[in-house]
Amino acid sequence: MSYKRRDILQALAATGALTLVTGCGSDSSPNFSPAGGNFNGSPSGGLSPFPQPELRQLPGGRASTDLITTFATNQVANRSVTTRTYEGKLVGPTLRVSPGTTLQVNLQNRFPATNEFPKTANPNTPHEFNTTNLHTHGLHVSPTGNSDNIFLEIPPQSQFSYSFAIPANHPGGTFFYHPHKHGSAAMQMFSGMAGALILESELDRVPEVAAARDLVYLVSELNVNSSGQVPNFTGDVFPLSNRILMVNGTSRPTLSVQSGEVVRLRLLNATVRTHLGLQLEGHTFGVLALDGITLPALRNESEVSLAVANRADVLIRAQAPGRYALKKMQDDEGGMNDPEEIIGYLEVLPGTLQMALPSALPAPSSLPTISDAEITRRRNLTFERFTGPNPPLPGVDVFTIDQKLHDPNRVDQTITLNSVEEWTITNFSDQMHPFHIHTNPFQLVARDGMALAQPEWHDVSDIPPLMNGMPGSITIRIRFRDFTGRTVLHCHNVMHEDLGMMQTIEIV
Ligand SMILES: [Cu+2]
């Protein structure tokens, strides 16, 4: 089967992909109508649909869904690949819920019982590739118990029921889920394991946004060898020649639109280690939201820059008829020499639509700008890389935070609940590290010591690299609210994370 035929089959499946899952509690009050938006991706005017992950529109109140991990063989980019997957697909299903929902996810780990790389005394040696867990990236939910607890390990041939109580005042937007088991996260994400997690939002009800087709645009990367399998990640470098960049589990899909049509793309960088500087020929992006948090005003950009795990909700207004490439731009930082690459196409057909862009956006009232006066404590963190024949992996670079590797038995930062902190995070290495912290979003206020004109809410931000002998840095502010317990901050280059570039934090 050629990938073109497969894309068509996927696209056809997408038109009927609305899956309703009933509530599991007696107090559930299912509401199957979307908050707004033409969210099933079906175009008008006879255009062919765009491949979308399976959509699970979940009811409010209490919602429940199964999520199965299994090996599967799929076709992508004219190749047959056999990889670890969610639900047998190259992209996980989209879970769509409202804030205020308690979301139960029954994770069924159906990977083979054998775990070829057993745990050793060193937790930062990649291991147990068939053991998994589930992280709700960017969600402000409890990091403990059976919630967003990344210390859990779900062994193969077992299952676990997660329960995420999403606060009613949680900002709505584009989040995602992915495995976060230390030691196997890179292996599993190099197989494309990730899915969108959409919280319905005030933004969806803005008339110009509601009128636009609402499309997930999840970019992930397969790293497959010539036999179509993901080589075991044991600390070696993954060559770029192994990479297949995918959009919604397909290679270079074409999005067909009419001239004058406005579409909403939920751009999501679910790669392991690839920075996505995205440009669309002949078009600009109207940025609505970053990392799931609506901006104060629409921002017009010629390039959207997504660190690993960043999201951007954008509107695109289709220009003159023609075929336009969406490109990941060249990335040279740290000697990466990661070339420009087309990841998809926009095909603009003649049309008479004159759809508008919104003039005002509903930024969430629960996230006012953090003022100087609110700061109760300041901290400094350092991200570094040491090269050479160092332990624990001879010949493999060592990636540290505060010159230490991850130790699951050590708490690196103890933070008081309701404190408001300002952190300066310095990067002494010559490559970017995408900084991520769980449970609470942060406000990025400065980059390389220079204040941003307007602070931005994020849950991931690249720390610029060392350049001309000057280390890079970001300055962020965080309100530690609502939830106590242990969780982590880490580099979201998932290879670095598995190799130990992670700290345990405890909110008390
Ligand atoms: Cu890193």
Side-chain angles (χ1 to χ4, degrees), residues 399 432-434 491 493 496 501:
F399 299 92
M432 284 198 282
H433 297 285
C491 176
N493 176 326
H496 295 176
M501 201 173 217

Short mmCIF file of all heavy atoms in Angstrom, two decimals, residues 399 432-434 491 493 496 501, ligand 1:
data_model
loop_
_atom_site.label_atom_id
_atom_site.label_comp_id
_atom_site.label_asym_id
_atom_site.label_seq_id
_atom_site.Cartn_x
_atom_site.Cartn_y
_atom_site.Cartn_z
N PHE A 399 24.80 15.10 30.42
CA PHE A 399 23.96 16.30 30.45
C PHE A 399 23.47 16.51 31.88
O PHE A 399 22.79 15.63 32.43
CB PHE A 399 22.78 16.15 29.49
CG PHE A 399 23.22 15.95 28.06
CD1 PHE A 399 23.40 14.67 27.54
CD2 PHE A 399 23.45 17.04 27.24
CE1 PHE A 399 23.81 14.49 26.22
CE2 PHE A 399 23.86 16.87 25.92
CZ PHE A 399 24.04 15.59 25.41
N MET A 432 20.86 24.25 22.40
CA MET A 432 19.69 24.64 23.17
C MET A 432 19.19 23.47 23.99
O MET A 432 19.29 22.32 23.58
CB MET A 432 18.57 25.09 22.22
CG MET A 432 18.79 26.46 21.65
SD MET A 432 17.29 27.17 20.97
CE MET A 432 17.18 26.33 19.41
N HIS A 433 18.64 23.77 25.16
CA HIS A 433 17.93 22.76 25.93
C HIS A 433 16.53 23.30 26.20
O HIS A 433 16.38 24.38 26.77
CB HIS A 433 18.64 22.48 27.26
CG HIS A 433 20.01 21.91 27.09
ND1 HIS A 433 20.23 20.60 26.72
CD2 HIS A 433 21.23 22.47 27.21
CE1 HIS A 433 21.53 20.39 26.63
NE2 HIS A 433 22.17 21.51 26.92
N PRO A 434 15.50 22.57 25.78
CA PRO A 434 14.14 23.02 26.08
C PRO A 434 13.79 22.73 27.54
O PRO A 434 13.63 21.57 27.93
CB PRO A 434 13.27 22.21 25.10
CG PRO A 434 14.12 21.07 24.64
CD PRO A 434 15.55 21.42 24.87
N CYS A 491 15.08 18.77 30.93
CA CYS A 491 15.27 19.12 29.52
C CYS A 491 14.28 18.28 28.72
O CYS A 491 14.19 17.07 28.90
CB CYS A 491 16.69 18.79 29.10
SG CYS A 491 16.95 19.09 27.34
N ASN A 493 14.47 17.79 25.50
CA ASN A 493 15.11 16.89 24.55
C ASN A 493 15.09 15.55 25.29
O ASN A 493 15.81 15.35 26.27
CB ASN A 493 16.54 17.35 24.27
CG ASN A 493 17.28 16.38 23.37
OD1 ASN A 493 17.06 15.16 23.43
ND2 ASN A 493 18.16 16.90 22.55
N HIS A 496 18.16 13.67 26.27
CA HIS A 496 18.87 14.24 27.43
C HIS A 496 18.17 13.87 28.73
O HIS A 496 18.81 13.56 29.74
CB HIS A 496 18.95 15.76 27.30
CG HIS A 496 19.76 16.23 26.13
ND1 HIS A 496 19.90 17.56 25.80
CD2 HIS A 496 20.49 15.55 25.22
CE1 HIS A 496 20.66 17.67 24.73
NE2 HIS A 496 21.03 16.46 24.35
N MET A 501 19.17 14.49 32.55
CA MET A 501 19.06 15.95 32.66
C MET A 501 17.68 16.28 33.23
O MET A 501 16.80 16.83 32.55
CB MET A 501 19.26 16.59 31.28
CG MET A 501 19.66 18.05 31.35
SD MET A 501 20.09 18.70 29.72
CE MET A 501 21.46 19.79 30.15
CU CU B 1 18.87 19.10 26.71
#
